[in-house]
């Protein structure tokens, strides 16, 4: 509602939620291709910034940037990391993480802490670790940590850090109080209603006018030469090479198939799975009480229900011993796979509590012979060999051009097929060849091609990582230039006619506005123009309407709230079609006493705005007293990696 009043206010999200958002980054990979920590560690372990020993790492920043890209693509599918980096995303994230670390360091120095119970409650309430009944699911918790190769202690440390930040920042956020009288005045302003007239002076009503002469067209061409200038264009020569190029080198041999089968013998050997049920209780006494109920004849399901577990909470399905150990603990798995069918284990302790596991069913899965998985093994081998051979080919090509070989020499040496584009702009358009369609792979080469100088050596561009590449060379460079007037004379003539019509329409509209501002009624002012103009329209809106539509408010409605009563203002119509005139006729003051809920909403939002400001100023004051060191070179290196995709 109050976007109208909120411009320039810092968002609470980055102050109190970014810490927990970072946990979601690590656990979910942001939903952006399942990015894990192993790949990100290749960026290097050096800190981008430090504050009292707390580092902002490349991993943290990369994960946060990936999430921002994922969010941006939901609204703009064409968004890419390079553009976000150019817009300052990396610096913003580093600054935010420095703020988080600074508040954590300050909080611990003041004696703030996060107890184990506090951390346990936070973990239990984390949505990713809850089942459909809304209860903590130890299996989901263990699975998520295992998938991201993150230890429980690391995760708990991040939770503790966030809880300390929360203890510091939440009091500042909640300390803002807005007087009822202030909120009432703003609420009444939101309810103010304005009514006015909207008229149009279209270019079409001005008539054709005198046709421009040849000399006028020539003069217009020269005066507007920048409008008709085509940007620099480049002819790009490239040769694509992919897995098909090395297919002959990637065939799996019988020896390789047998070696891979032997390497994965445990996977193909006969194995036992068990359908298990489990409860995890927080105290030993509760676990012993549960076991006593089972010994007395109570069914596992009934005992679990009495302990507050639903059927979906206790069922964990078919598990191997190794798989169950990963999501519980080796000790719990050993006990579960030692029990007979239908039996339950004695309580076994893990870091999350006391486990009691019941074996519902036992299945033996027969092993797989080498012949039954031969195709599967051959496919794995050939995929790996293909990637290795393709990487080797790309390396040989790069070495050859680095050694001074020309594009044509390198292409001949590797039997590649050359493609040459017509002169294209940096966006891939070909103004001189309107029927030409850019091939899909060209987009991956444009940035490299337009960064090259004519004398530069060819370069290898990545089209699809690990799958498709191209050797790229720069052909002819066509400097920016306007086409000869003879080629675009009709366009220049049409533009000149449109500009003259727009100027005549503006003169008429300006005269109408002057009359209205001098006291003439809008309808009379339009009639006195003695032109066939569209009929006036009545428009009305409240400030509440304007605020609720945020950036989608029609400009004439917004104009109603920018002019005094009895006055008019001129504004351009869309697409150069003419001019619009907005005249304000009536203002009806708002009265929030008739809509108290609006006053309450305004008061709450104003309190939120003030709380944001208090929290921001508090964080700034903390940082001002700490020693913050930024590694600008490391930040620049990460920006480059993100921009070219090597960190994604």
């Amino acid at each position: 509602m109050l976007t109208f009043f909120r411009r320039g206010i810092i968002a609470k999200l980055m102050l109190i939620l970014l810490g927990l958002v970072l946990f979601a980054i690590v656990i979910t990979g942001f939903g952006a291709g399942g990015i894990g920590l192993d790949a990100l560690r290749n960026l290097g372990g050096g800190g981008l910034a430090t504050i009292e020993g707390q580092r902002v790492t490349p991993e943290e920043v990369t994960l946060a940037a990936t999430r921002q890209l994922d969010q941006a693509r939901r609204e703009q599918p064409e968004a890419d990391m390079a553009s976000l980096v150019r817009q300052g995303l990396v610096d913003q994230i580093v600054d935010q993480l420095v703020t988080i670390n600074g508040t954590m360091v300050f909080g611990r120095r003041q004696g703030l802490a996060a107890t184990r119970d506090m951390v346990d409650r936070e973990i239990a309430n984390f949505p990713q670790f809850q089942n459909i009944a809304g209860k903590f699911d130890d299996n989901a918790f263990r699975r998520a940590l295992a998938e991201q190769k993150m230890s429980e202690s690391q995760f708990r440390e991040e939770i503790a850090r966030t809880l300390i930040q929360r203890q510091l920042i939440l009091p500042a956020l909640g300390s803002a109080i807005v007087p009822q009288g202030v909120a009432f005045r703003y609420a009444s302003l939101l309810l103010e209603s304005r009514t006015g007239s909207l008229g149009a002076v279209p270019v079409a009503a001005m008539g054709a006018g005198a046709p421009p002469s040849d000399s006028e067209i020539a003069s217009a061409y020269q005066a507007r030469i920048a409008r008709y200038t085509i940007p620099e264009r480049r002819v790009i020569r490239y040769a694509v090479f992919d897995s098909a190029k090395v297919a002959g080198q990637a065939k799996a041999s019988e020896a390789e198939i047998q070696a891979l089968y032997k390497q994965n013998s445990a996977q193909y050997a006969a194995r036992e799975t068990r359908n298990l049920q489990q409860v995890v209780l927080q105290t030993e006494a509760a676990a012993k009480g549960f076991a006593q109920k089972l010994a007395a004849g109570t069914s596992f399901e009934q005992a679990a229900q009495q302990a507050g577990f639903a059927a979906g909470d206790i069922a964990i399905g078919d598990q191997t011993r190794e798989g169950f150990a990963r999501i519980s603990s080796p000790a719990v798995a050993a006990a579960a796979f030692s029990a007979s069918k239908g039996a339950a284990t004695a309580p076994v302790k893990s870091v999350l509590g006391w486990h009691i596991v019941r074996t519902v069913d036992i299945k033996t899965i027969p092993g797989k012979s080498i012949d039954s998985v031969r195709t599967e093994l051959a496919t794995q081998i050939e995929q790996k060999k293909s990637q290795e051979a393709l990487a080797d080919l790309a390396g040989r090509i790069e070495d050859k051009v680095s050694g001074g070989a020309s594009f044509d020499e390198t292409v001949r040496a590797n039997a590649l097929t050359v493609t040459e584009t017509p002169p294209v702009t940096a966006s891939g358009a070909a103004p001189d060849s309107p029927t030409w369609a850019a091939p899909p792979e060209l987009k991956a080469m444009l940035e490299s091609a337009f960064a090259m100088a004519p004398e530069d050596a060819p370069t290898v561009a990545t089209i699809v990582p690990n799958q498709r590449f191209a050797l790229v060379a720069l052909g002819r460079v066509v400097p920016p230039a306007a086409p000869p007037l003879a080629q675009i004379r009709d366009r220049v003539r049409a533009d000149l006619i449109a500009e003259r019509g727009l100027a005549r329409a503006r003169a008429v509209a300006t005269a109408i506005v002057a009359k209205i501002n001098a006291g003439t009624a809008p309808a009379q002012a339009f009639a006195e123009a003695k032109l066939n103009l569209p009929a006036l329209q009545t428009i009305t809106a409240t400030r509440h309407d304007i605020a609720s539509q945020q950036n989608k408010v029609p400009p004439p409605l917004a104009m109603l709230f920018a002019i005094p009563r009895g006055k008019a203002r001129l504004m351009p119509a869309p697409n150069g079609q003419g001019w619009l005139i907005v005249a304000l006729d009536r203002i009806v003051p708002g009265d929030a006493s008739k809509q108290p809920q609006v006053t309450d909403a305004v008061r709450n939002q104003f309190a939120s705005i003030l709380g944001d400001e208090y929290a921001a100023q508090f964080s700034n004051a903390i940082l001002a007293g700490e020693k913050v060191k930024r590694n600008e070179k490391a930040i620049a290196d990460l920006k480059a990696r993100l921009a070219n995709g090597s960190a994604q």
Side-chain angles (χ1 to χ4, degrees):
M1 177 190 299
L2 290 182
T3 303
F4 197 76
F5 301 119
R6 291 179 64 93
R7 295 171 185 166
I9 301 299
I10 188 169
K12 232 185 294 186
L13 179 65
M14 292 305 179
L15 291 174
I16 63 169
L17 297 184
L18 184 54
L20 282 178
V21 169
L22 289 176
F23 303 145
I25 293 170
V26 174
I27 295 302
T28 68
F30 286 135
I35 291 177
L37 292 180
D38 278 354
L40 293 171
R41 289 190 180 109
N42 293 331
L43 293 173
L48 304 177
T50 58
I51 178 169
E52 297 294 332
Q54 294 294 319
R55 294 188 306 164
V56 174
T57 66
E59 293 94 332
E60 289 178 298
V61 176
T62 300
L63 287 167
T66 305
R67 179 174 182 269
Q68 292 299 319
L69 175 61
D70 184 52
Q71 291 178 337
R73 282 177 172 166
R74 294 173 189 170
E75 298 180 3
Q76 296 179 315
E78 70 279 4
D80 57 35
M81 182 64 79
S83 62
L84 293 181
V85 171
R86 286 194 297 270
Q87 293 167 22
L89 177 65
V90 171
D91 289 320
Q92 292 171 16
I93 294 173
V94 171
D95 290 343
Q96 291 156 3
L97 290 172
V98 165
T99 299
I100 288 172
N101 287 341
T103 55
M104 186 270 293
V105 168
F106 178 82
R108 283 182 169 163
R109 191 184 300 132
Q110 306 311 311
L112 296 180
T115 66
R116 185 175 182 86
D117 286 343
M118 292 169 65
V119 173
D120 285 342
R121 285 195 297 272
E122 202 68 39
I123 292 175
N125 290 329
F126 209 84
Q128 276 86 347
F129 307 146
Q130 294 178 352
N131 58 26
I132 58 175
K135 294 188 176 181
F136 175 77
D137 186 339
D138 181 61
N139 298 332
F141 175 64
R142 297 292 170 190
R143 187 163 51 249
L145 293 181
E147 287 174 356
Q148 294 300 321
K149 299 180 177 63
M150 187 180 193
S151 70
E152 182 180 348
S153 61
Q154 289 174 322
F155 187 71
R156 285 180 172 274
E157 174 61 23
E158 294 298 325
I159 293 279
R161 182 174 73 165
T162 301
L163 290 174
I164 291 172
Q165 296 159 9
R166 193 182 292 172
Q167 292 174 61
L168 271 175
I169 299 300
L170 283 179
L173 289 168
S175 62
I177 299 176
V178 177
Q180 185 76 10
V182 173
F184 175 81
R185 294 298 181 188
Y186 276 102
S188 295
L189 184 60
L190 277 176
L191 296 175
E192 176 190 292
S193 173
R194 294 193 173 200
T195 301
S197 302
L198 174 63
V201 182
V203 171
M206 298 299 103
S213 65
D214 290 342
S215 62
E216 289 173 329
I217 294 173
S219 296
Y221 170 77
Q222 291 298 330
R224 299 160 181 78
I225 196 72
R227 176 189 300 179
Y228 304 114
T229 296
I230 300 172
E232 178 186 286
R233 288 148 289 157
R234 297 187 169 199
V235 174
I236 302 172
R237 304 181 70 208
Y238 65 93
V240 173
F241 54 98
D242 54 22
S243 54
K245 181 69 179 174
V246 296
Q249 307 172 41
K251 296 297 182 183
S253 68
E254 180 61 26
E256 290 171 329
I257 292 174
Q258 291 187 15
L260 184 59
Y261 180 79
K262 183 177 181 180
Q263 179 183 337
N264 295 287
S265 57
Q267 176 183 344
Y268 300 119
R271 64 186 188 277
E272 177 184 281
T273 66
R274 295 193 170 204
N275 187 286
L276 303 175
Q277 294 175 322
Q278 174 184 248
V279 295
V280 181
L281 300 163
Q282 295 303 306
T283 65
E284 184 178 12
K288 287 181 177 179
F290 191 95
Q292 289 172 359
K293 288 184 179 181
L294 297 181
T298 304
S299 71
F300 193 90
E301 291 84 354
Q302 289 175 328
Q305 184 178 15
Q306 292 168 8
F309 295 90
D313 299 336
I314 64 174
I316 56 176
D318 292 337
Q319 301 284 338
T320 64
R321 179 168 178 161
E322 295 76 14
F324 187 50
R326 285 195 298 270
I327 64 175
S328 57
S329 75
V332 174
F337 276 75
S338 298
S340 59
K341 180 178 179 179
T345 68
V348 182
K349 191 176 187 303
S350 80
V351 293
L352 283 179
W354 293 84
H355 299 245
I356 299 178
V357 186
R358 176 174 176 265
T359 298
V360 179
D361 194 15
I362 302 174
K363 297 178 184 177
T364 300
I365 301 176
K368 295 181 180 180
S369 68
I370 189 171
D371 290 333
S372 67
V373 295
R374 185 178 300 277
T375 300
E376 173 187 329
L377 294 172
T379 299
Q380 292 180 28
I381 293 167
E382 289 172 1
Q383 286 178 343
K384 181 180 179 182
K385 291 180 69 175
S386 176
Q387 288 187 358
E388 291 173 348
L390 187 57
D392 183 59
L393 174 59
R396 292 199 308 271
I397 290 174
E398 288 180 328
D399 290 343
K400 193 168 183 65
V401 297
S402 296
S406 68
F407 176 81
D408 291 324
E409 289 170 340
T410 307
V411 165
R412 284 196 299 270
N414 292 278
L416 303 179
T417 301
V418 177
T419 300
E420 186 173 292
T421 71
V424 296
T425 65
S427 65
D432 301 325
S433 305
T435 60
W436 180 79
E441 66 267 15
L442 182 63
K443 182 178 180 181
M445 309 174 208
L446 288 171
E447 186 171 351
S448 296
F450 275 81
M452 297 170 69
E455 65 275 9
D456 285 350
T459 185
V460 174
T462 300
I463 300 173
V464 180
N466 301 321
Q467 297 180 34
R468 204 163 192 233
F469 302 88
L471 179 64
V472 182
L474 185 59
R476 182 165 54 95
V477 176
V478 181
L485 175 58
Q487 290 184 12
I488 59 171
R489 185 180 186 281
D490 290 343
R491 177 185 168 189
V492 176
R493 181 179 185 275
D495 287 348
L496 182 55
I497 291 173
E499 288 178 12
R500 288 178 171 182
L502 191 62
R504 293 197 303 275
R506 183 184 180 93
V508 172
T510 300
I512 293 174
V513 168
K515 288 183 178 181
I516 295 174
N517 288 340
T520 304
Q524 181 180 346
F526 270 82
E528 290 176 356
K530 300 188 181 303
L531 292 170
N532 187 21
L533 301 177
L536 289 176
Q537 299 179 33
T538 299
I539 55 175
T540 186
T542 65
R543 289 189 185 272
H544 180 278
D545 297 332
I546 301 298
S548 63
Q549 294 182 60
Q550 299 183 3
N551 295 326
K552 299 179 181 179
V553 182
L557 284 182
M559 183 69 75
L560 275 182
F561 293 89
I563 56 179
R565 186 173 62 84
K567 301 298 182 180
R569 189 169 295 176
L570 185 65
M571 61 190 307
N575 304 317
Q577 296 178 354
W579 300 90
L580 300 177
I581 297 173
V582 179
L584 177 58
D585 302 327
R586 185 171 69 257
I587 299 175
V588 179
D591 183 1
S593 64
K594 298 177 181 178
Q595 298 187 47
Q597 72 277 10
V598 178
T599 301
D600 293 340
V602 169
R603 191 179 188 191
N604 291 337
Q605 289 215 17
F606 267 27
S608 176
I609 293 171
L610 289 175
D612 289 344
E613 185 64 22
Y614 290 167
Q617 295 301 328
F618 182 45
S619 297
N620 290 339
I622 289 174
L623 290 181
E626 304 291 343
K627 294 181 179 179
V628 180
K629 296 181 180 179
R630 289 171 60 99
N631 187 338
E632 298 298 345
K633 183 180 184 303
I635 294 173
D637 289 345
L638 179 59
K639 289 179 182 178
R641 288 175 177 271
L642 287 170
N644 66 27
S646 60
Q648 296 185 58

